[in-house]
Amino acid sequence: MKALVVRRRPSRFAAAKLAGALVPGSGASVGVLELDDLPVPDAPGSGWPLVFPRLAGICGSDLQTVDAAASEWFEPIVSFPFVPGHEVVVDVPGEGRRVLEAVLGCLPRDLPPCPACVRGDVGACQNLERGSVEPGLQTGFCSSVGGGWSVAFRAHTSQLVAVPDTLSDEDAVMVEPTACAVHAVAKARPAPDERVVVIGAGTLGLLAVAAACRLYRPGHVTVAARYAHQKRWALEFGADEVCDPQSLVRVVRRQTGSVLVGSGGRSRLTSGADVVVDAVGSPESLESAFAVCRPRGRVVLLGMPGRARVDLTPLWHREITLVGAYAYGVEHLATAEPVSEENGSVRGEAEPRRGEGGRRSFDLALDLVGELRLGRLVSATYPLSRFREALRHAAEAGPRGAVKIAFDMRDDRERERLLRAAEEGLRAEEALR
Ligand SMILES: [Zn+2]
Ligand SMILES: [Zn+2]
């Protein structure tokens, strides 16, 4: 079975690190990632159907893997060899189209649920290296189950979320990253009179803008974006103002009537935004977040960081709340106001109010993707065989006018054959019953 696979080969990792540092996304060309013919993965237990990817997105964390730039933090919660791909829309034989909730929490591991998994907060699962499958924080980082960059892999039934027919495959492949953005914004819960700044307007930054504007309607949203197409999308998704990253401090100063103090790399505002979402995760973006966040404001770290040298004095001095946002689970939005549809009518039971039970991030993401047709952010797709080009395109998405790059398996003959065989097997099983 065709699959892209990452093996643990120290010499290649070293080469990929070097290549990736010079040209992001080019680690793939030195062999950390290979196109291979793998056996179809065995089911690790009951309730693990073989599923067949239609589209599988390329995420920033995948690029870091390919360039061997991922933090050593992940080592105990990844198992080699693995097939990447955690943003996936699949065909499930006999069931139809599903999106994958990629986190491998207690249920897929056949363990009694930990306190987080009891709440449905799979992103906070405490058992990522235990149970019936190999260590792996998510599908796409676990050797037992395969991953989305292939023609088939194993998914636990608890990971599969139904997709309404009204969504295209492109919409559906955006659900997983949208769930991450929803989760990040729900960490800050911006109030209707608060100012939000989003730093970075790649996939996650744009989705955070959409989530903030749709779920919370904060008083004002400013987006620091590098490229013209990113600015256009940010405005379309509800941003009030967009600017270049280097003008962010000046723009927020004007908005908030605060004063610029310090100079050069040390300049910051006396006041600033109430909430800053850092969708980049670099030392520069984090320092810029601190510079424009008001005293006692909140900074949400949505972009995956890694080892970073950052001056934490502002965090201390201004009592800024810095919170990470990983994956998704169940959100308690605590919106002050119900979200209106475009025509202004108030939506029904779908909108949680303060104090009510939470909603699964994936369900919120499905709504958001459908309302804004977020499949439009899929800029290009590639067959698995052109993976080097695909990864380069993903790494250079911004300058090339793109947002999300994905693998497209829909025309793959091997996939078609395996899917048909699985469906026939299912029918034969049913006939025997
Ligand atoms: Zn991701
Ligand atoms: Zn758990």
Side-chain angles (χ1 to χ4, degrees):
M1 163 199 93
K2 217 178 290 136
L4 292 168
V5 60
V6 175
R7 295 198 169 81
R8 196 200 287 278
R9 287 186 181 156
S11 61
R12 290 201 177 169
F13 270 78
K17 206 168 204 141
L18 203 65
L22 293 170
V23 185
S26 70
S29 63
V30 299
V32 162
L33 190 70
E34 294 166 295
L35 183 63
D36 211 342
D37 189 16
L38 299 183
V40 170
D42 291 328
S46 60
W48 282 91
L50 202 57
V51 299
F52 301 87
R54 288 179 175 219
L55 294 176
I58 300 173
C59 161
S61 66
D62 297 323
L63 289 172
Q64 293 201 5
T65 301
V66 165
D67 289 338
S71 162
E72 55 266 43
W73 172 266
F74 292 115
E75 266 165 35
I77 45 173
V78 167
S79 49
F80 292 88
F82 63 83
V83 177
H86 57 276
E87 301 175 351
V88 204
V89 49
V90 297
D91 282 310
V92 183
E95 304 277 338
R97 214 163 46 131
R98 296 287 184 274
V99 283
L100 181 77
E101 208 186 60
V103 173
L104 290 167
C106 291
L107 284 178
R109 295 180 176 279
D110 202 17
L111 294 170
C114 70
C117 286
V118 166
R119 298 192 304 270
D121 255 331
V122 290
C125 177
Q126 299 164 13
N127 286 320
L128 301 175
E129 59 298 288
R130 299 179 50 220
S132 59
V133 302
E134 289 294 313
L137 63 167
Q138 299 189 357
T139 300
F141 301 95
C142 170
S143 63
S144 309
V145 299
W149 296 1
S150 69
V151 293
F153 68 96
R154 293 282 174 182
H156 191 258
T157 47
S158 67
Q159 293 183 285
L160 296 166
V161 180
V163 182
D165 290 340
T166 49
L167 298 193
S168 66
D169 291 339
E170 284 75 10
D171 290 329
V173 82
M174 295 304 294
V175 171
E176 198 271 354
T178 303
C180 295
V182 163
H183 182 64
V185 171
K187 289 265 172 193
R189 301 179 184 187
D193 58 345
E194 287 192 312
R195 275 176 192 281
V196 175
V197 166
V198 177
I199 298 177
T203 303
L204 282 178
L206 290 174
L207 296 176
V209 175
C213 294
R214 280 273 159 162
L215 299 174
Y216 287 97
R217 305 187 152 225
H220 195 277
V221 177
T222 303
V223 181
R226 276 221 176 112
Y227 304 101
H229 69 291
Q230 297 176 333
K231 289 176 182 157
R232 278 196 303 275
W233 282 118
L235 290 170
E236 177 169 341
F237 294 157
D240 298 284
E241 188 162 1
V242 292
C243 66
D244 293 324
Q246 59 273 22
S247 358
L248 182 64
V249 174
R250 282 202 308 279
V251 167
V252 178
R253 177 186 58 175
R254 170 173 47 71
Q255 290 171 359
T256 54
S258 51
V259 175
L260 185 73
V261 293
S263 59
R266 305 236 156 259
S267 61
R268 82 269 183 168
L269 302 178
T270 50
S271 179
D274 304 283
V275 170
V276 184
V277 177
D278 177 1
V280 179
S282 70
E284 296 76 28
S285 64
L286 202 50
E287 283 184 346
S288 156
F290 291 155
V292 298
C293 186
R294 69 164 165 81
R296 299 191 181 170
R298 292 99 81 199
V299 174
V300 182
L301 186 51
L302 171 59
M304 188 169 114
R307 256 180 211 284
R309 257 185 99 89
V310 181
D311 186 354
L312 294 179
T313 310
L315 188 78
W316 171 82
H317 176 234
R318 311 189 106 179
E319 299 189 357
I320 288 169
T321 303
L322 173 63
V323 61
Y326 161 70
Y328 33 75
V330 170
E331 312 303 344
H332 297 269
L333 293 179
T335 44
E337 283 179 349
V339 179
S340 298
E341 295 217 299
E342 257 148 347
N343 61 12
S345 69
V346 174
R347 295 182 63 206
E349 39 77 43
E351 301 310 323
R353 306 286 196 318
R354 197 179 294 276
E356 283 185 11
R359 280 188 79 200
R360 209 170 171 181
S361 332
F362 259 63
D363 292 335
L364 291 160
L366 279 164
D367 285 355
L368 206 61
V369 162
E371 284 165 20
L372 295 172
R373 310 279 10 152
L374 294 177
R376 293 180 295 154
L377 294 177
V378 177
S379 311
T381 62
Y382 291 84
L384 292 171
S385 58
R386 289 170 60 198
F387 70 96
R388 291 189 183 91
E389 275 170 84
L391 290 159
R392 279 294 285 277
H393 200 170
E396 297 164 359
R400 288 170 68 175
V403 182
K404 173 60 69 186
I405 308 299
F407 289 110
D408 187 346
M409 276 64 71
R410 289 172 295 194
D411 291 334
D412 192 285
R413 286 214 198 111
E414 186 187 26
R415 174 193 188 271
E416 196 54 40
R417 186 168 52 73
L418 288 169
L419 174 58
R420 233 177 291 135
E423 280 172 343
E424 270 159 31
L426 209 65
R427 273 196 291 276
E429 236 172 71
E430 270 160 21
L432 281 175
R433 258 189 238 130

